[in-house]
Protein backbone atom coordinates (compact mmCIF):
# COMPACT_ATOMS: atom_id res chain seq x y z
CA UNK A 1 0.00 0.00 0.00
CA UNK A 2 1.20 3.49 -0.77
CA UNK A 3 -0.08 6.38 1.27
CA UNK A 4 -0.74 8.80 -1.55
CA UNK A 5 -1.48 8.98 -5.28
CA UNK A 6 -1.68 11.85 -7.78
CA UNK A 7 -3.72 11.93 -10.95
CA UNK A 8 -4.47 14.64 -13.50
CA UNK A 9 -7.38 14.93 -15.90
CA UNK A 10 -9.02 17.41 -18.21
CA UNK A 11 -12.63 18.30 -17.40
CA UNK A 12 -13.96 17.69 -20.89
CA UNK A 13 -17.63 18.49 -21.47
CA UNK A 14 -18.38 15.09 -23.01
CA UNK A 15 -18.64 13.31 -19.66
CA UNK A 16 -20.95 16.01 -18.33
CA UNK A 17 -23.11 15.64 -21.45
CA UNK A 18 -23.20 11.89 -20.70
CA UNK A 19 -24.28 12.68 -17.12
CA UNK A 20 -27.02 14.94 -18.46
CA UNK A 21 -28.27 12.08 -20.64
CA UNK A 22 -28.44 9.79 -17.59
CA UNK A 23 -30.42 12.50 -15.78
CA UNK A 24 -32.69 12.79 -18.86
CA UNK A 25 -31.82 16.45 -19.40
CA UNK A 26 -29.28 18.58 -21.26
CA UNK A 27 -25.72 19.76 -20.71
CA UNK A 28 -26.92 23.37 -20.68
CA UNK A 29 -29.39 22.56 -17.90
CA UNK A 30 -26.94 21.00 -15.45
CA UNK A 31 -23.98 23.22 -16.38
CA UNK A 32 -25.38 26.59 -17.53
CA UNK A 33 -22.13 28.41 -16.70
CA UNK A 34 -19.91 25.68 -18.19
CA UNK A 35 -18.65 24.66 -14.77
CA UNK A 36 -18.37 21.24 -13.14
CA UNK A 37 -21.66 20.26 -11.45
CA UNK A 38 -21.50 19.04 -7.83
CA UNK A 39 -20.33 15.39 -7.55
CA UNK A 40 -19.24 15.29 -11.21
CA UNK A 41 -15.64 14.91 -10.03
CA UNK A 42 -16.52 11.21 -9.75
CA UNK A 43 -16.53 10.92 -13.55
CA UNK A 44 -12.87 11.91 -13.88
CA UNK A 45 -9.49 10.53 -12.72
CA UNK A 46 -10.67 6.96 -13.36
CA UNK A 47 -8.50 4.32 -15.00
CA UNK A 48 -9.23 0.91 -16.49
CA UNK A 49 -7.25 -2.03 -15.13
CA UNK A 50 -6.02 -4.70 -17.51
CA UNK A 51 -8.27 -7.76 -17.77
CA UNK A 52 -5.65 -9.89 -16.03
CA UNK A 53 -5.69 -7.48 -13.08
CA UNK A 54 -9.42 -7.81 -12.33
CA UNK A 55 -10.89 -9.81 -9.47
CA UNK A 56 -14.00 -11.99 -9.65
CA UNK A 57 -16.22 -9.06 -8.65
CA UNK A 58 -15.07 -6.94 -11.62
CA UNK A 59 -13.00 -4.54 -9.52
CA UNK A 60 -9.20 -4.36 -9.81
CA UNK A 61 -7.47 -6.73 -7.41
CA UNK A 62 -6.44 -5.17 -4.11
CA UNK A 63 -3.10 -3.52 -3.54
CA UNK A 64 -1.34 -0.44 -4.84
CA UNK A 65 -2.93 2.76 -3.52
CA UNK A 66 -5.89 1.04 -1.84
CA UNK A 67 -4.90 -1.45 0.90
CA UNK A 68 -4.80 -5.17 0.07
CA UNK A 69 -7.74 -6.18 2.28
CA UNK A 70 -8.72 -9.85 2.00
CA UNK A 71 -12.45 -9.43 2.63
CA UNK A 72 -14.16 -9.98 -0.73
CA UNK A 73 -17.11 -7.55 -0.75
CA UNK A 74 -16.77 -3.79 -0.85
CA UNK A 75 -19.16 -0.84 -0.81
CA UNK A 76 -18.95 2.94 -1.07
CA UNK A 77 -20.57 3.60 2.30
CA UNK A 78 -20.57 7.39 2.48
CA UNK A 79 -18.60 10.57 2.32
CA UNK A 80 -18.18 14.25 3.06
CA UNK A 81 -17.44 16.83 0.36
CA UNK A 82 -16.68 20.55 0.52
CA UNK A 83 -16.82 22.67 -2.64
CA UNK A 84 -14.48 25.64 -2.24
CA UNK A 85 -14.70 27.09 -5.74
CA UNK A 86 -16.05 26.20 -9.15
CA UNK A 87 -14.00 24.39 -11.77
CA UNK A 88 -14.47 25.28 -15.43
CA UNK A 89 -15.16 22.65 -18.06
CA UNK A 90 -12.05 22.28 -20.19
CA UNK A 91 -9.76 22.98 -17.25
CA UNK A 92 -6.89 20.60 -16.40
CA UNK A 93 -7.04 19.58 -12.73
CA UNK A 94 -5.07 17.45 -10.29
CA UNK A 95 -6.40 15.07 -7.65
CA UNK A 96 -4.27 14.02 -4.68
CA UNK A 97 -5.52 10.98 -2.77
CA UNK A 98 -4.41 10.05 0.74
CA UNK A 99 -5.34 7.03 2.88
CA UNK A 100 -6.47 8.54 6.19
CA UNK A 101 -7.34 5.41 8.15
CA UNK A 102 -7.93 1.65 8.05
CA UNK A 103 -10.11 0.37 10.89
CA UNK A 104 -11.28 -3.16 11.66
CA UNK A 105 -14.65 -3.70 13.32
CA UNK A 106 -17.08 -6.53 13.99
CA UNK A 107 -20.76 -6.03 13.19
CA UNK A 108 -23.88 -8.17 13.15
CA UNK A 109 -22.87 -9.42 9.69
CA UNK A 110 -19.32 -10.30 10.75
CA UNK A 111 -15.91 -8.77 10.23
CA UNK A 112 -15.73 -5.31 8.63
CA UNK A 113 -12.87 -3.07 7.54
CA UNK A 114 -13.47 0.66 7.01
CA UNK A 115 -11.05 2.60 4.83
CA UNK A 116 -11.28 6.39 4.72
CA UNK A 117 -9.65 8.17 1.79
CA UNK A 118 -9.22 11.93 1.36
CA UNK A 119 -9.11 13.51 -2.08
CA UNK A 120 -8.06 17.10 -2.79
CA UNK A 121 -8.84 18.42 -6.28
CA UNK A 122 -7.14 21.59 -7.48
CA UNK A 123 -7.40 23.68 -10.63
CA UNK A 124 -5.70 26.78 -11.93
CA UNK A 125 -7.09 28.86 -9.03
CA UNK A 126 -6.02 26.41 -6.32
CA UNK A 127 -7.90 23.94 -4.13
CA UNK A 128 -11.47 23.49 -5.37
CA UNK A 129 -12.87 20.28 -3.82
CA UNK A 130 -12.05 18.39 -0.62
CA UNK A 131 -13.63 14.96 -0.27
CA UNK A 132 -13.49 12.09 2.20
CA UNK A 133 -14.80 8.69 1.09
CA UNK A 134 -15.69 5.81 3.42
CA UNK A 135 -15.18 2.39 1.81
CA UNK A 136 -16.33 -0.69 3.73
CA UNK A 137 -15.09 -4.23 3.11
CA UNK A 138 -17.14 -7.24 4.26
CA UNK A 139 -16.88 -11.01 4.30
CA UNK A 140 -18.44 -13.29 1.70
CA UNK A 141 -22.23 -13.39 1.61
CA UNK A 142 -24.02 -16.53 2.73
CA UNK A 143 -27.33 -17.84 1.34
CA UNK A 144 -30.29 -17.10 3.55
CA UNK A 145 -28.52 -14.41 5.59
CA UNK A 146 -30.99 -12.29 7.50
CA UNK A 147 -31.80 -8.86 6.12
CA UNK A 148 -31.68 -5.85 8.39
CA UNK A 149 -35.05 -5.40 10.10
CA UNK A 150 -37.33 -2.92 8.39
CA UNK A 151 -38.30 0.38 9.96
CA UNK A 152 -41.86 1.71 9.84
CA UNK A 153 -42.46 3.43 6.47
CA UNK A 154 -41.20 7.00 6.68
CA UNK A 155 -43.76 9.81 6.55
CA UNK A 156 -42.29 12.78 4.70
CA UNK A 157 -42.42 16.21 6.34
CA UNK A 158 -44.68 18.87 4.84
CA UNK A 159 -42.83 20.87 2.20
CA UNK A 160 -40.65 17.95 1.13
CA UNK A 161 -40.02 17.83 -2.63
CA UNK A 162 -39.64 14.48 -4.35
CA UNK A 163 -38.68 12.85 -7.62
CA UNK A 164 -39.41 9.27 -8.70
CA UNK A 165 -36.54 7.52 -10.49
CA UNK A 166 -37.35 4.65 -12.82
CA UNK A 167 -34.28 2.49 -12.40
CA UNK A 168 -33.47 -0.38 -14.74
CA UNK A 169 -30.38 -2.38 -15.80
CA UNK A 170 -29.64 0.04 -18.65
CA UNK A 171 -29.41 3.02 -16.27
CA UNK A 172 -27.15 1.06 -13.92
CA UNK A 173 -24.95 -0.11 -16.79
CA UNK A 174 -24.59 3.42 -18.18
CA UNK A 175 -23.69 4.86 -14.78
CA UNK A 176 -21.13 2.08 -14.26
CA UNK A 177 -19.59 2.95 -17.62
CA UNK A 178 -19.51 6.68 -16.84
CA UNK A 179 -17.69 6.05 -13.54
CA UNK A 180 -15.46 3.25 -14.90
CA UNK A 181 -16.97 0.94 -12.29
CA UNK A 182 -16.72 -2.73 -13.21
CA UNK A 183 -18.39 -4.03 -10.03
CA UNK A 184 -20.66 -6.83 -11.24
CA UNK A 185 -23.39 -6.26 -8.60
CA UNK A 186 -24.60 -3.32 -10.72
CA UNK A 187 -25.11 -5.07 -14.08
CA UNK A 188 -24.64 -8.86 -13.73
CA UNK A 189 -27.85 -10.18 -12.17
CA UNK A 190 -26.76 -13.85 -11.77
CA UNK A 191 -23.57 -12.73 -10.03
CA UNK A 192 -25.36 -10.20 -7.81
CA UNK A 193 -28.01 -12.70 -6.71
CA UNK A 194 -26.16 -16.04 -6.71
CA UNK A 195 -22.68 -15.00 -5.56
CA UNK A 196 -23.23 -11.92 -3.39
CA UNK A 197 -26.82 -12.95 -2.53
CA UNK A 198 -28.52 -9.62 -3.13
CA UNK A 199 -32.20 -9.43 -4.02
CA UNK A 200 -31.41 -7.91 -7.43
CA UNK A 201 -29.02 -5.52 -9.13
CA UNK A 202 -27.72 -2.96 -6.64
CA UNK A 203 -28.27 0.75 -7.31
CA UNK A 204 -24.93 2.55 -6.90
CA UNK A 205 -24.58 4.75 -3.85
CA UNK A 206 -23.00 7.49 -6.01
CA UNK A 207 -25.93 7.28 -8.46
CA UNK A 208 -28.36 7.88 -5.59
CA UNK A 209 -26.21 10.80 -4.41
CA UNK A 210 -26.13 12.31 -7.91
CA UNK A 211 -29.91 12.00 -8.19
CA UNK A 212 -30.35 13.75 -4.82
CA UNK A 213 -28.07 16.64 -5.79
CA UNK A 214 -29.91 17.01 -9.10
CA UNK A 215 -33.20 17.16 -7.20
CA UNK A 216 -31.76 20.06 -5.18
CA UNK A 217 -30.72 21.78 -8.43
CA UNK A 218 -34.17 21.40 -9.96
CA UNK A 219 -36.44 22.05 -6.97
CA UNK A 220 -34.41 24.34 -4.68
CA UNK A 221 -31.85 25.92 -7.00
CA UNK A 222 -29.22 27.06 -4.49
CA UNK A 223 -25.46 26.50 -4.86
CA UNK A 224 -24.07 23.71 -2.69
CA UNK A 225 -21.15 24.31 -0.33
CA UNK A 226 -21.06 20.94 1.45
CA UNK A 227 -22.58 17.52 0.79
CA UNK A 228 -22.61 14.60 3.21
CA UNK A 229 -24.11 11.17 2.62
CA UNK A 230 -24.31 7.72 4.19
CA UNK A 231 -25.73 4.47 2.82
CA UNK A 232 -28.27 2.84 5.15
CA UNK A 233 -29.46 -0.26 3.26
CA UNK A 234 -29.20 -1.67 -0.29
CA UNK A 235 -31.50 -0.36 -3.01
CA UNK A 236 -32.42 -2.64 -5.89
CA UNK A 237 -33.45 -2.22 -9.49
CA UNK A 238 -36.78 -4.07 -9.66
CA UNK A 239 -39.00 -1.05 -8.92
CA UNK A 240 -38.69 2.78 -8.98
CA UNK A 241 -37.23 4.59 -5.99
CA UNK A 242 -37.93 8.07 -4.63
CA UNK A 243 -35.56 10.95 -3.96
CA UNK A 244 -36.69 13.47 -1.33
CA UNK A 245 -35.38 16.85 -0.18
CA UNK A 246 -36.60 19.00 2.69
CA UNK A 247 -35.19 22.53 2.77
CA UNK A 248 -34.17 24.07 6.10
CA UNK A 249 -32.19 27.12 7.17
CA UNK A 250 -28.96 27.10 5.20
CA UNK A 251 -29.38 23.70 3.61
CA UNK A 252 -31.55 20.64 3.08
CA UNK A 253 -32.00 17.10 4.37
CA UNK A 254 -32.05 14.48 1.62
CA UNK A 255 -32.86 10.79 1.32
CA UNK A 256 -33.66 7.99 -1.07
CA UNK A 257 -36.50 5.61 -0.27
CA UNK A 258 -37.41 2.21 -1.64
CA UNK A 259 -41.04 1.25 -2.48
CA UNK A 260 -41.59 0.09 1.13
CA UNK A 261 -40.72 3.52 2.47
CA UNK A 262 -37.35 2.35 3.80
CA UNK A 263 -34.57 4.94 3.83
CA UNK A 264 -31.69 3.64 1.72
CA UNK A 265 -29.46 6.73 1.82
CA UNK A 266 -29.45 9.77 4.05
CA UNK A 267 -27.70 12.94 2.96
CA UNK A 268 -27.54 16.63 3.66
CA UNK A 269 -26.38 19.77 1.90
CA UNK A 270 -25.25 23.15 3.14
CA UNK A 271 -25.77 26.06 0.77
CA UNK A 272 -23.17 28.68 -0.08
Amino acid sequence: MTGQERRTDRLDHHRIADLAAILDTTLETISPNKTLPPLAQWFYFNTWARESELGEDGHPRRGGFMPAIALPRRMFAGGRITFHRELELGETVERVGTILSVKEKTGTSGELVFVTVRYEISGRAGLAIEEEQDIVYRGAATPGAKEAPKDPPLALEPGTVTRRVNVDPVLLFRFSALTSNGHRIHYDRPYAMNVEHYAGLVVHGPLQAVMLVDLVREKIGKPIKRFTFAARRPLFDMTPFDCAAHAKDGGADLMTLDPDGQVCMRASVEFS
Side-chain angles (χ1 to χ4, degrees):
M1 180 182 80
T2 60
Q4 194 172 81
E5 70 164 11
R6 291 177 180 267
R7 292 184 181 180
T8 59
D9 208 342
R10 180 177 176 273
L11 302 179
D12 66 81
H13 74 277
H14 300 291
R15 274 171 275 188
I16 306 307
D18 293 342
L19 169 62
I22 285 175
L23 296 172
D24 198 22
T25 186
T26 65
L27 171 64
E28 292 74 22
T29 298
I30 65 172
S31 180
N33 299 320
K34 298 182 179 181
T35 56
L36 191 72
L39 306 188
Q41 73 272 10
W42 291 339
F43 309 130
Y44 298 90
F45 310 106
N46 299 313
T47 59
W48 286 71
R50 295 169 57 179
E51 288 293 309
S52 59
E53 297 171 343
L54 297 177
E56 181 190 12
D57 63 358
H59 273 308
R61 291 193 181 94
R62 318 297 167 79
F65 172 61
M66 292 297 288
I69 294 168
L71 298 177
R73 293 195 294 165
R74 71 189 86 181
M75 181 181 70
F76 192 170
R80 297 153 297 282
I81 306 167
T82 300
F83 301 97
H84 294 288
R85 57 173 52 88
E86 292 185 322
L87 292 167
E88 296 180 3
L89 297 186
E91 190 172 348
T92 296
V93 294
E94 180 184 57
R95 187 186 74 177
V96 179
T98 306
I99 303 292
L100 292 185
S101 66
V102 180
K103 297 179 180 178
E104 298 182 6
K105 297 183 180 181
T106 301
T108 56
S109 60
E111 185 181 0
L112 303 169
V113 177
F114 290 86
V115 178
T116 299
V117 187
R118 181 177 66 214
Y119 291 108
E120 297 173 306
I121 300 174
S122 301
R124 63 173 66 99
L127 181 64
I129 300 171
E130 286 185 282
E131 175 175 2
E132 289 185 4
Q133 295 182 1
D134 300 323
I135 312 298
V136 61
Y137 295 80
R138 299 183 294 164
T142 55
K146 292 183 178 179
E147 295 183 4
K150 291 187 176 183
D151 299 319
L154 186 70
L156 298 178
E157 296 183 61
T160 298
V161 295
T162 63
R163 175 194 292 172
R164 178 148 293 186
V165 178
N166 293 309
V167 61
D168 61 21
V170 175
L171 173 62
L172 300 185
F173 175 81
R174 288 182 2 137
F175 192 81
S176 289
L178 185 56
T179 53
S180 304
N181 182 355
H183 200 177
R184 293 168 65 184
I185 61 172
H186 302 305
Y187 60 87
D188 184 341
R189 192 178 303 277
Y191 175 85
M193 298 182 71
N194 299 332
V195 178
E196 300 217 11
H197 301 288
Y198 286 112
L201 294 177
V202 179
V203 180
H204 315 67
L207 175 57
Q208 297 177 56
V210 165
M211 291 291 183
L212 289 172
V213 164
D214 195 59
L215 176 66
V216 171
R217 175 199 62 77
E218 180 186 27
K219 301 293 188 180
I220 301 176
K222 294 183 179 180
I224 294 173
K225 176 67 174 177
R226 292 184 180 86
F227 177 76
T228 301
F229 71 102
R232 297 286 300 275
R233 61 191 309 133
L235 179 61
F236 302 110
D237 72 312
M238 294 85 74
T239 54
F241 69 90
D242 289 321
C243 296
H246 185 263
K248 60 182 183 180
D249 290 343
D253 292 324
L254 315 172
M255 67 188 73
T256 61
L257 301 105
D258 69 14
D260 295 326
Q262 301 294 298
V263 177
C264 298
M265 174 178 286
R266 283 195 179 274
S268 64
V269 292
E270 296 179 26
F271 299 130
S272 300

